[in-house]
């Protein structure tokens, strides 16, 4: 194993290249081929806190990265009108209140709620409360006892600037970039990929290939015919339209997802502009109508024509097939309501580092595919929950409410509905807190609560919850506004 070829220079290609360049430290020759004429998908601007692990691995300087990508901070996702029009909640990252002896905070809240004495659940999460107040600061390591020690953040950034920034890092680590369009792919007799031919007849050979060519899956599908698992029956949206608009104040430290008649609209605030997009199902609404809805709901001046995209939700039957691994959109697509695609790129690239072969080994390939399937299916379940738990009118939403759920999700819902319990399985991405926030936010209130709650009296529970909310309230008072924090910590560079 000497030569690795990455085909594609979007977010997936450059994230993989920067990581491999850094971690493999000259062990392999790494080359990336991309075609400016084809371009990238040009979306993908919101992330989840796990991205900090990637940033650490590539030793990225957070301030520089934020400045160069027009970045802002993200404390969670605000879901507007998902349960029903007029309702909203925030899925805030990080902890909820604090545990009390054996039990999680939400168990006490469930009992107070049954007694009709609970405050808004948002009052118990530092991330949610800060998001609603448009405040932000980094967590303080010296304040582990305070909610301020537990603020969890991710980033929102300009997708094209992010790929450009990562390209710089990858090239510093010795990755070679080749401009060119792949027009043909050659295979060895056993079916493994041998080389790609670029326009102009240049051939690039390698021992191992990473397909980051986007939705087309140039190597994994067009060449290796790996097959695709279609999840449209659970996630019926199949189109998206993205459009930037001018930035409006205040600079919100969260992404917004607003439900629409046959899908939803995102809003991602950056330093230089706001990213917007409408994700919808073409079975229930046509493109013209979808465009009208998107453009009628911008909160700034439209800055470009809508970028129109089609997709099929699902994943490749095997992410790793022969001597090729698919990373990014070539591996599959889960729609972005919880901003998971960039994470899935990072997870795949890290998994590949951990399982990188020195020669062909089927057990290693199977293990990679087993871990990938587990991760994708659990993320899929979490996203389906948002659609299923709705009380909206309209054919699209009725379909979602009545669809048959994957067994894994059905089981999670059943356990939750009995006593408000949730268990994170193995290395599944979303934490117990995330599930709790979305269950409660979407109005899925369990029938009961943990019987151990009864050890405490109503008065003790009320005092405990009151203290948690009051402490969080005091923390929010001392946090700076997000705008102010960004303009001091990481003011963006002027764009050329
Ligand atoms: C509507 C939408 C919204 C999204 N929002 C989010 C979000 O908020 N958060 C998030 O985490 N993710 C989001 N994503 C996902 C995110 O955009 C992608 O995961 C990410 O951009 C990775 O794309 P990619 O690099 O796989 O593909 P692309 O960006 O399509 O890049 C493909 C690359 O392959 C090259 N290529 C293709 N064919 C050839 C060829 N023949 N020869 C040479 N080069 C070739 C292209 O030139 C390009 O460089 C979103 C996706 C969509 C569709």
């Amino acid at each position: 194993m000497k030569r690795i070829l990455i085909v594609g220079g979007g977010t997936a290609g450059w994230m993989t290249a920067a990581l491999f360049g850094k971690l493999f430290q000259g062990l392999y020759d790494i080359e990336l081929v991309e075609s400016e004429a084809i371009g990238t998908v040009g979306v993908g601007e919101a992330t989840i806190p796990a991205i900090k692990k990637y940033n650490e691995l590539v030793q990225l300087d957070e301030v520089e990265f934020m400045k160069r990508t027009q970045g802002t901070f993200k404390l969670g996702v605000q879901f507007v009108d998902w349960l029903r029009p007029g309702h909203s909640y925030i899925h805030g990252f990080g902890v909820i209140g604090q545990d009390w002896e054996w039990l999680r905070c939400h168990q006490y809240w469930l009992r107070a709620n049954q007694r009709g004495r609970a405050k808004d659940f948002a009052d118990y999460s530092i991330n949610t409360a800060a998001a609603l107040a448009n405040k932000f600061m980094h967590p303080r390591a010296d304040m582990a006892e305070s909610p301020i020690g537990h603020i969890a953040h991710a980033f929102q950034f300009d997708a094209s600037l992010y790929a450009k920034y990562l390209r710089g890092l990858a090239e510093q680590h010795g990755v070679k970039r080749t401009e060119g369009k792949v027009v043909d792919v050659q295979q060895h007799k056993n079916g493994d990929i041998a080389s790609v031919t670029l326009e102009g007849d240049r051939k690039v050979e390698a021992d191992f290939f990473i397909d980051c060519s986007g939705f087309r899956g140039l190597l994994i599908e067009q060449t290796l015919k790996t097959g695709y698992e279609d999840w449209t029956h659970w996630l019926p949206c199949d189109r998206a339209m993205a459009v930037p608009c001018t930035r409006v104040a205040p600079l919100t430290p969260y992404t917004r997802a607003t439900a629409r008649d046959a899908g939803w609209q995102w809003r991602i605030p950056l330093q230089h502009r706001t990213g917007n997009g409408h994700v919808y199902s073409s079975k229930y609404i046509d493109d013209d109508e979808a465009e009208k809805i998107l453009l009628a709901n911008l909160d700034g001046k439209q800055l470009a024509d809508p970028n129109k995209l089609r997709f099929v939700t699902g994943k490749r039957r095997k992410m790793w097939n022969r001597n090729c691994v698919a990373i990014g959109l070539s591996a599959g697509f889960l729609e972005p309501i919880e901003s998971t695609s960039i994470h899935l790129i990072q997870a795949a690239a890290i998994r590949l580092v951990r399982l990188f072969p020195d020669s062909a080994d089927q057990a290693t390939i199977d293990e990679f595919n087993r871990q990938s399937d587990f991760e994708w299916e659990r993320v899929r379940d979490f996203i389906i929950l948002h659609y299923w738990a709705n009380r909206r009118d309209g054919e699209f939403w009725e379909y979602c409410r009545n669809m048959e759920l994957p067994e894994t999700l059905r089981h999670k819902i059943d356990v939750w509905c009995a006593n408000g319990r949730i268990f994170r399985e193995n290395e599944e991405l979303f934490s117990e807190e995330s599930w709790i926030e979305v269950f409660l936010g979407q109005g899925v209130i369990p029938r009961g609560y943990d019987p151990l709650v009864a050890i405490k009296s109503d008065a003790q529970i009320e005092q405990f919850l009151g203290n948690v909310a009051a402490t969080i309230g005091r923390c929010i008072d001392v946090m700076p506004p997000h705008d102010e924090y960004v303009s001091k910590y990481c003011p963006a560079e002027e764009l050329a």
Side-chain angles (χ1 to χ4, degrees):
M1 196 70 73
K2 280 210 161 56
R3 284 187 45 80
I4 301 172
L5 182 68
I6 300 171
V7 174
T11 304
W14 285 117
M15 276 185 90
T16 307
L19 185 76
F20 278 31
K22 175 76 193 166
L23 298 186
F24 288 158
Q25 299 275 351
L27 263 183
Y28 306 101
D29 292 333
I30 305 172
E31 183 167 351
L32 183 148
V33 176
E34 67 176 322
S35 159
E36 267 175 30
I38 294 177
T40 65
V41 72
V43 282
E45 312 206 307
T47 62
I48 56 175
I51 195 173
K52 293 202 292 294
K53 179 172 177 189
Y54 175 84
N55 292 355
E56 274 167 30
L57 286 174
V58 294
Q59 291 183 0
L60 175 155
D61 176 328
E62 187 179 284
V63 175
E64 194 204 350
F65 143 72
M66 297 279 287
K67 284 183 172 182
R68 302 260 301 264
T69 61
Q70 301 281 338
T72 58
F73 293 100
K74 175 177 169 188
L75 293 166
V77 184
Q78 183 183 46
F79 290 93
V80 177
D81 298 342
W82 279 75
L83 178 57
R84 57 174 179 272
H87 175 271
S88 84
Y89 72 96
I90 290 191
H91 163 203
F93 304 134
V95 295
I96 301 169
Q98 67 185 76
D99 297 351
W100 188 14
E101 295 175 1
W102 173 248
L103 297 176
R104 291 285 173 97
C105 184
H106 78 283
Q107 288 291 351
Y108 300 103
W109 183 89
L110 288 174
R111 175 151 109 185
N113 189 49
Q114 271 200 1
R115 302 271 199 275
R117 304 181 70 91
K119 287 175 120 192
D120 190 340
F121 196 64
D123 294 350
Y124 305 101
S125 152
I126 178 85
N127 268 50
T128 301
L132 287 169
N134 286 322
K135 301 265 186 107
F136 179 81
M137 64 186 276
H138 280 91
R140 287 266 305 263
D142 59 335
M143 293 179 76
E145 298 296 310
S146 157
I148 286 190
H150 301 276
I151 298 165
H153 71 280
F155 311 98
Q156 304 168 128
F157 48 65
D158 181 313
S160 52
L161 297 176
Y162 184 56
K164 199 166 144 191
Y165 176 64
L166 292 175
R167 173 180 162 185
L169 289 185
E171 287 180 329
Q172 274 170 30
H173 298 315
V175 174
K176 177 181 168 202
R177 175 190 182 271
T178 299
E179 170 62 35
K181 184 172 170 187
V182 175
V183 288
D184 198 13
V185 180
Q186 293 76 43
Q187 289 171 270
H188 292 294
K189 278 204 180 109
N190 69 358
D192 284 3
I193 298 175
S195 54
V196 300
T197 308
L198 308 183
E199 219 166 40
D201 229 22
R202 201 200 132 194
K203 201 176 254 193
V204 186
E205 294 180 342
D207 305 304
F208 199 80
F209 292 79
I210 304 181
D211 186 345
C212 296
S213 64
F215 285 129
R216 52 179 62 75
L218 197 66
L219 307 180
I220 196 80
E221 196 57 51
Q222 291 184 10
T223 307
L224 296 178
K225 314 274 184 266
T226 302
Y228 196 78
E229 228 172 277
D230 184 338
W231 289 340
T232 311
H233 52 295
W234 287 314
L235 293 166
C237 291
D238 57 354
R239 298 212 180 158
M241 231 173 252
V243 75
C245 73
T246 49
R247 171 190 155 170
V248 293
L251 194 61
T252 50
Y254 55 87
T255 296
R256 181 178 298 143
T258 305
R260 301 280 179 229
D261 287 350
W264 61 280
Q265 182 166 337
W266 79 73
R267 178 186 180 279
I268 303 176
L270 308 178
Q271 292 191 49
H272 62 324
R273 62 163 169 80
T274 300
N276 308 275
H278 188 184
V279 177
Y280 57 98
S281 167
S282 61
K283 193 170 161 197
Y284 297 91
I285 194 176
D286 65 30
D287 294 347
D288 290 345
E289 186 58 20
E291 185 170 340
K292 264 190 222 149
I293 292 173
L294 172 63
L295 299 181
N297 288 287
L298 303 181
D299 54 15
K301 190 170 152 272
Q302 183 184 343
L303 293 174
D305 290 333
N307 172 11
K308 298 178 182 174
L309 302 152
R310 292 176 178 216
F311 53 82
V312 179
T313 296
K315 64 162 193 65
R316 289 284 158 228
R317 291 201 183 282
K318 296 176 198 164
M319 308 284 185
W320 183 341
N321 191 4
R322 297 190 170 278
N323 60 340
C324 172
V325 170
I327 299 186
L329 297 172
S330 61
F333 184 64
L334 282 167
E335 58 173 274
I337 52 174
E338 287 285 359
S339 320
T340 42
S341 293
I342 292 173
H343 174 77
L344 291 169
I345 294 171
Q346 143 187 354
I350 294 172
R351 183 172 297 127
L352 185 53
V353 169
R354 293 172 71 196
L355 285 166
F356 204 75
D358 54 2
S359 60
D361 177 57
Q362 194 55 43
T364 302
I365 296 176
D366 293 345
E367 179 59 19
F368 182 94
N369 288 331
R370 190 191 64 78
Q371 290 184 16
S372 307
D373 288 352
F374 178 85
E375 178 163 54
W376 278 69
E377 284 164 10
R378 293 313 186 278
V379 172
R380 173 203 67 194
D381 286 359
F382 189 56
I383 295 176
I384 295 173
L385 173 65
H386 297 64
Y387 282 98
W388 170 77
N390 84 82
R391 295 181 208 151
R392 289 178 60 96
D393 292 333
E395 253 187 287
F396 172 83
W397 293 98
E398 271 168 34
Y399 170 82
C400 295
R401 195 159 54 237
N402 294 310
M403 66 189 162
E404 199 168 313
L405 298 175
E407 198 37 51
T408 39
L409 175 58
R410 183 77 262 169
H411 176 70
K412 249 192 175 112
I413 293 172
D414 290 346
V415 173
W416 167 260
C417 284
N419 294 87
R421 294 182 179 120
I422 192 90
F423 298 95
R424 190 178 198 164
E425 224 182 313
N426 299 329
E427 291 185 18
E428 77 175 290
L429 174 58
F430 284 101
S431 64
E432 293 170 16
E433 285 80 2
S434 288
W435 283 90
I436 292 166
E437 297 217 349
V438 174
F439 269 129
L440 294 180
Q442 296 278 153
V444 187
I445 309 294
R447 294 186 297 278
Y449 44 79
D450 194 305
L452 291 188
V453 168
I455 292 173
K456 307 292 180 194
S457 68
D458 283 342
Q460 283 175 309
I461 290 173
E462 218 164 297
Q463 192 184 13
F464 165 72
L465 291 174
N467 286 343
V468 170
T471 307
I472 288 177
R474 283 194 296 275
C475 293
I476 303 300
D477 287 345
V478 300
M479 287 172 71
H482 179 228
D483 300 72
E484 191 182 302
Y485 197 85
V486 167
S487 60
K488 280 195 186 139
Y489 178 78
C490 52
E493 293 178 351
E494 286 291 316
L495 289 172

